[in-house]
Every structure is written in structure tokens, then in C-alpha cells.
Amino acid sequence: MLTKVHTGLDPVQGVWWKPAHKAEVIWVSVAFAWCIVLFAMMPLWHWKGGQNPAGVRSRVEPKAFYARTTEFAKQYQVGTDGGVPIAAPPPGADVYLVAMSFQWYPVLQLEQGKEYMLHLSALDVNHGFSLYPLNVNFAVVPGFDYALRVTPTSSGDFRIICNEFCGIGHHTMVGRVIVVDSTGAAVADNPDATIEHGGAL
Amino acid sequence: MTAATVEGTGAPGWRTCPVTARRIDARAERLIRVNAVAAVVALLIGAVAALLLALTRWQVVHLLPAEWYYRILGVHGMNMLIFFIIFFEMAVLWFAGTVLLNARPAAPRYAWFNFGMMLIGALMVEAMQWSGKADVLYTSYPPLKAHPLFYLGIILFAVGALSVVGQFFATLTIARRERTYTGSMPLVVYGAMTAAIIAVITLLHGAMVYIPTFLWSVGLIDSVNPQMYRLLWWALGHSAQQINVAAMVAIWYMLGALTVGAVVLNEKVSRWAFVLYILFISMASAHHLLVDPGFGPAWKIVNTSYFMYMAVLASMIHGFTVPAGIELGMRLRGFTKGLFGWLRKAPWGDPGFSSLVLSVVVFGFFGGITGVTIGTEQINIIAHNTLRIPGHFHATVVSGTAVAFMGATYYLLPLIFRRKVSFWGLAKIQPYMFAGGLLLLEFGMTFAGSFGVPRRHWDISFTQAAHDVPFSPVVDLFMAMVGIGGIIAATGAFAFILIAVTSVFFGERVTEFPRGKAIAGIPQGLTNPPVHAANADAVNAELHAPARGWAGPTPGTLVLVAVFFLAFMLYYFTNWKLLSFLWKIG
């Protein structure tokens, strides 16, 4: 039954297609079953889980996306933060966020527990959306509109770090998302930001 | 091209290895040497870069200015992941194709031409990167644009490497035709052949991505689709790591055989595992695109899982058969005490053996488990482009592949370069130092990444940014681990380079390997070859006897893989739990 004792450096004589020992068969079976579990978890999470990178994906002209975003920012502007408009769209709205070297535009103000359609794209090169401190990461690719249904389940003052190298100023590229709680109170602990309540809403 | 050529091989230009009794063609030997030397030079550049990077990311030191940090990061990536590894793999292919099969190299002069092409390509890339004309990092994602010579250099390097892979297949054919060996090719050569096949797939993708990008850089085409580039580039970038995996596993089998007489438990199982690599591993481009906008969930799930994790299955098989082969090899040589007597009596002072064990353990436990977990479609949301990614791939490519290659070098120095290993005392501790530093670095990166610390980022104190990002103070600790681990690992790499270079150029010549005598500078597997006794087959049959139960001849390894499996499940499901705490996204 067994092949002659030999190492991986020796050519193998005769037929080496021999049945494996039970211990090997058990391990290969366990490993195979585990692989099926690993595989099944992903469709299962699409079905039952709350965090999936599916979204609605489409092509878009970078300049057109930028124009749409500035229009969106103007429409829902409630203030400014360091010269960047703060946009507070109503729940359920399409929300636009554009990445460009080296800025996220605009600052977003969302409501806790409400769903939004967040559109991500880039004007120039690849960027990376990394929501701090939650550690939620998405790729932002010019020419592609990545629309994700997002429901902020916690309130606070969040940051967007760029985590895809986009040029020499990459490390200065930080954006901001404010999530107000269910009472409607803004949770803006950044003293530089000015939020005019009851703005364009 | 038949018997006459073979008989002629006793002639000048050939020698017989005193340890393995294999016939070695001097022309092949020179090719192995020159590729290994080029690999070590690239390793030196990459290791200097690594030290600078570790000292920059350790925010307390923050050594390099921003511009140089990104530049050196690109240099580090190209030298380590492309030049060091591929030059070494060229040496492995020549070694496996000729020495292990007693064969002559196919078209050795053409091989020098190809080596020259690879060298020129590499030098072009170095020149562009160091002069600041290719500040696009290793991935060079368009629309970021580098100087055309940067892309051309990579193309030349890839074409040269592809041609050498073709020569390797030609060498295998020659060996078979000239009957330089009888029976089926050794498992190690089979593994090297697997690496070569994956290399063809990889390098063709390299051509598909870099030729249009080059044309774009010189203005002949208007644009490169950034998403298509990411897809094709990672079919090069990730598949290149799968060449490393296959080559590394082949070296595991080789080092096991040379150091402790590890046996092949079952050729069918091990060879099937290699076939699974060929069939499925090239789908891994998707690992980098899980949170990209260009692909849907079905595509992502099928591809990221290598079609139901068949390549993971392959690695889990090797992860059993390699240690089990070591265990059985040791037991056959009489180290039968208890579950782990074979491990206690193993030659831990032999840098070839310690490298082998460290490579298997860290690759499996750290690289494998983190890789499968963060390569899961949804879990990637909490991992993509954070420091968890380099934390993972340093565990695979460096702790796994580079450590295995270093271990192989300790045997190649006396066998192929015919020199004693210099600084033998240092060589004995080098694998522990290098792997230990790396482990610290990898833990630091992985934990920091879990807090959202981005990779490829010059300043996580964000002093010049529009908004503050107040990372938890514990992140400082993790980044210090990255810095200190990086210093230790770089020191380990420098020690290896010092040993290798000194041995090659100034080492004491080795002409014979006196049996049974420990000699400083010659690994124990060469002076005390782990040969199996004449009755090994009878002992083997006894160990396999049904009466010994389902644990069979390798009970110790079963315990080890059970521990591995528990660690795997724990880490995997913990990550799903962490993911479930996030906002709802879909």
C-alpha cells in the first residue's frame, strides 16, 4: 500500500497514486468542510447581516459627479467648516461626497437611525474612504459612483481619513461627518465649525 | 540528444555533489549564483528602505520628510516584492530544474541575456524611483503617472523573467528526454513547476496592465481605466505572491528533507494540493477589490474565495503534510518518544531547520488566518487599506517566503557556492532575530489597523490636516511595536546579508563534507545527513498499522493542526462580531 520511504527531493518510483492514511483524510475533510463554512458566510451575511459592500454601482463622469456634489452641498447647506460647506440632507436623500486631492467635499451632517444613499466618487485620482473611529473603509475610484445605503447607528463627530495614496499631500486629506442624535441636537465638538441651525432644511 | 549527451556529462563542466550525489552543470551553477546574488543586493536596498520606513511610521521618531517617505515606500515595495523575490525564484527554478534532476540548463547563453534584461529593467526602475520620477508607490494606480521608463523597466524585467520561466519548462523537457532521472519528478521540482506555471499567468497579466500604462505615459493612448487597472494590476500583484507561496512550499519540502529527513506522506495528496494552487489561486486579485465600486457581490464572493476556498484548502493540506512529513521522518530515524519527542530532538540550532519551522508556523498561524479573514468580502470593510493589510502580508511574504528563502540559502552556500557559512554563531540566531522582529512588527501593524490606522500614510498625528483625528493613545504603543519590530527585523535582514555576502566572496572553501562531525559553517544536515535506515520501509509500515488507530504515524501533527484550527475559528468569528457593531451599510 505505502510508497517506499522517500523525501521530496527524490524522484518517485512506480505508481504513487496510493490511498492516503486516515489521519490525512480526516484533516483534508475537516479543512474542506471549513472552506465551505468560510464560503457560505458571505452570502449568508448578504441575507442576514447588516454590513455589506454591495450598494448600487455605476459609471459616472468625474466632472459631472463633482457638479452634482456641489449642487447637493448648496441645496442642503447649513453652515461652513473651514471654508467647506456643511450639508444636512433630509433622511432618505441621496448624499454626495467627492474626494479630490487633498480634500473631502462637503462636510456631511446626518441623523442617527435614518437611512441615506451615500454616493462616493473621486474627481482626480484614486482615494480611500476610511470613517474614523468606526474603521469603515471603501475604495473611491474616479469614474465610478459607489452608492451605499448607510444608516448611522451612532451619533458623534466623525472623520474621513484618505487611506489610498493620492499624492504628496495624502496625509493632510481628512473630511468630516457629523451625526446628530434622535433629539436633533448637533453633536459638533469641533469649535472651528459653525452650524447655522434651521438652515436650508 | 539521448544517451550520448548524458554520458558526456561526466566531462568538464560537470561535478558531482558530495552530499546528494547529484550531477551539477557548471553553467547552471553560475546562473543560480548570479540570480541569488542579485536577489541579495535587492534585499539590501529593500531592507535599508524598511528601516527608514519603520523609523518614520514610529511617530515618536518620524524620520523621513513626507516626500521621501512615499518615495522610499515605493522603493521598498519594488525591491522586496519584485526584485528580491523574483531574482531568488529564478535561482530556485534553475536549481530545481537542473541540480535536482541532474540535468543541463536549456539555452544557458539565452539565460544570461534574460538575466541582463531583468537587471537593466530593475536598474531603470531604481533610477526612476530614486530620482523622484515615479512617486506612485508599488501599485502605481493611474491616473497617478510615473515616468515612462519606470513602466518600461518593469516590462523588461517581466519579459526577462517570463523567458526564464520558459527556459525552466524547456529544462524539464530536456531532463525527461535525456532520462537524467527515473520515475516521476521529485515533489520539490513539482512544487517549483507549480510556481513557474503561476508565474506565467502572473507575468502575462503584468504585460496586460503595464503595456497600456506605458503607452498612456508616453501619450499614445488617452487614458487608462482606473478600475480595470486595479483588476489587472492585482492579477499581477497578488498572483506574484502566489508564486511565492508555491515556491515557499516547495522549499519547505526541500528543507524538511535536507535538515531532518522529512518524508512525503502521500504524493497524491501533496501533488493535488499543488494542482489546486494552479487552478484557483490566481483569482486572488479580488482580495484587493472587495470594497471597490466596479464589481458586484457575486463576482467578489466567487473570486475572493478562490471558488469556495480551494487554494486555502491547498495551503491547509500543505500545513499538515509538511509538519507531518517532518514528524514521520524524525520518527523513522528513531525519535519516537511521546507526542512531541520529534520536536524536542530537532536540530533547532541549524538555521535551515529553524527557518523552516518559523516560516511554516508564522505563515500559517499569522499570515494564513489573517489573510483568509480580511479577504472575506464583508470583513474587508474593517480592514481595507488599514495597517491590518501590511500586518498580514509581512507575515506571508516576509515571515513565510523570505524566511524560507533565507533558510534555503544556508544550505545553498555550502552546496552550490561551495563556501562555509561565515559568522556561524550569528547565522544560528539570525532566523530567530529576523522572525521575532517581524512578529512584533506584524502584531503592531495588525492591532493599529484594527483601530483604523491607515497604511501608506506619512503622518497619523494629522498635524497638517483640516480636521484633527485623535487616535486612541494605545495606537502609540502599537506604532512603537512597528518601529522597534522593524529595527530588529531590519537588523536580522542585515545580518543575513552580511553572512551571505561574506560567505560568497570571502568564505572558506568547502570541498568535502566529513560525515558525523559538526563543523562550524556547515549546517548539520550536510555533515550528518538525515538518512533513513535500511529497514525504514518496515518501520514505516508498522507506524501505519491499523492497530495504531486513526491518528496513525503522526499524532503530534494532528494536535498542532487542531490548535491551528481553533485559532482560525476564533479569529474569524471574532471579526464577524466586530463587523456587526458597525453602522448599517449595504
Side-chain angles (χ1 to χ4, degrees), chain B residues 24 66 131 144 155 229 258 280 347 488 530:
Chain B
I24 304 173
S131 64
L144 288 177
I155 293 169
Y229 179 95
L258 286 172
F280 296 108
I488 299 171

Side-chain angles (χ1 to χ4, degrees), chain B residues 408-431:
Chain B
T409 305
Y410 290 118
Y411 274 76
L412 289 181
L413 285 172
L415 285 175
I416 297 297
F417 288 87
R418 281 180 279 168
R419 305 275 186 170
K420 277 190 184 171
V421 179
S422 305
F423 306 108
W424 183 239
L426 182 63
K428 284 172 149 181
I429 59 163
Q430 186 273 337

Side-chain angles (χ1 to χ4, degrees), chain A residues 2 35-36 49 62 66 95 99 103 105 122 125 127 152 168 184 195:
Chain A
L2 297 162
C35 289
I36 300 301
Y66 180 71
V95 177
Q103 189 187 47
Y105 184 94
V125 297
H127 295 278
I168 192 67
I195 299 172

Side-chain angles (χ1 to χ4, degrees), chain A residues 2-14 16-24 26-46 49-59 81-82 84 107 110 115 117 120 124-128 130-155 157-177 179 190 192, chain B residues 22 66-67 70 100 135-137 141-144 181-188 225-227 230 254 257-258 261-269 271-272 290-297 300-301 304-305 308-310 312-313 316-317 320-321 332 372 376-378 381-386 449-452 454 456-459 462 464-472 532 536-537 540-541 544 549-553 558 561 564-565 568-569 572-573 576 579-580 582-586:
Chain A
L2 297 162
T3 42
K4 280 178 79 70
V5 168
H6 68 286
T7 75
L9 293 172
D10 303 321
V12 196
Q13 309 306 325
W16 47 258
W17 191 268
K18 302 267 174 79
H21 186 271
K22 209 177 263 173
E24 255 179 306
I26 290 172
W27 175 246
V28 174
S29 311
V30 167
F32 182 75
W34 176 237
C35 289
I36 300 301
V37 172
L38 295 175
F39 181 78
M41 277 304 290
M42 293 186 285
L44 193 69
W45 202 264
H46 273 282
Q51 297 78 19
N52 289 290
V56 179
R57 305 163 313 278
S58 55
R59 296 277 197 115
D81 182 2
V84 178
V107 170
L110 308 176
E115 188 183 277
M117 194 69 162
L120 295 172
D124 37 40
V125 297
N126 286 288
H127 295 278
S130 181
L131 191 66
Y132 170 88
L134 289 178
N135 198 13
V136 172
N137 304 280
F138 287 98
V140 184
V141 181
F144 290 81
D145 177 351
Y146 204 168
L148 296 155
R149 281 176 210 88
V150 175
T151 309
T153 50
S154 51
S155 62
D157 193 5
F158 298 88
R159 297 287 178 267
I160 309 164
I161 301 169
C162 178
N163 71 5
E164 184 74 82
F165 176 70
C166 56
I168 192 67
H170 167 52
H171 47 272
T172 65
M173 186 169 164
V174 177
R176 188 176 175 208
V177 178
V179 180
N190 183 347
D192 297 336
Chain B
R22 281 180 159 88
E67 187 184 19
Y70 294 120
L100 292 183
D135 288 342
V136 291
L137 301 194
Y141 290 141
L144 288 177
Y181 63 99
T182 55
S184 306
M185 67 167 71
L187 183 62
V188 172
N225 180 327
Q227 184 70 85
R230 286 165 73 93
M254 180 182 90
L258 286 172
V263 299
V264 181
L265 265 78
N266 186 292
E267 292 281 350
K268 180 175 72 175
V269 173
R271 286 178 196 231
W272 253 112
L290 293 173
V291 292
D292 269 35
F295 314 94
K300 287 174 178 173
I301 290 172
T304 196
S305 68
M308 303 214 286
Y309 289 98
M310 288 301 111
V312 173
L313 178 64
M316 286 176 79
I317 292 174
F320 176 85
T321 58
L332 288 173
V372 170
T376 303
E377 190 205 4
Q378 293 91 345
I381 294 173
I382 53 172
H384 179 75
N385 272 5
T386 68
S450 304
F451 280 79
R456 296 174 153 188
H457 200 283
W458 177 65
D459 180 21
F462 294 95
Q464 299 163 19
H467 306 281
D468 61 324
V469 182
F471 276 118
S472 155
H532 296 289
D537 284 314
N540 192 34
H544 276 83
W550 58 270
L558 272 182
V561 294
F564 168 80
F565 189 46
F568 201 161
M569 288 197 289
Y572 180 72
F573 287 117
W576 279 112
L579 179 74
S580 71
L582 295 184
W583 291 0
K584 280 187 64 138
I585 300 161

Side-chain angles (χ1 to χ4, degrees), chain B residues 11-86:
Chain B
W14 290 77
R15 68 179 180 94
T16 303
C17 174
V19 179
T20 62
R22 281 180 159 88
R23 292 195 326 276
I24 304 173
D25 186 317
R27 296 167 302 176
E29 205 165 31
R30 279 193 291 274
L31 286 166
I32 297 167
R33 289 182 191 178
V34 73
N35 279 290
V37 168
V40 170
V41 172
L43 180 67
L44 175 62
I45 301 171
V48 170
L51 185 61
L52 296 172
L53 296 175
L55 290 177
T56 305
R57 294 252 24 196
W58 187 7
Q59 203 79 29
V60 179
V61 184
H62 213 216
L63 183 67
L64 296 174
E67 187 184 19
W68 276 96
Y69 166 76
Y70 294 120
R71 190 166 295 157
I72 294 295
L73 190 53
V75 167
H76 176 65
M78 288 305 292
N79 276 288
M80 291 308 209
L81 287 170
I82 301 289
F83 304 144
F84 157 61
I85 285 216
I86 295 187

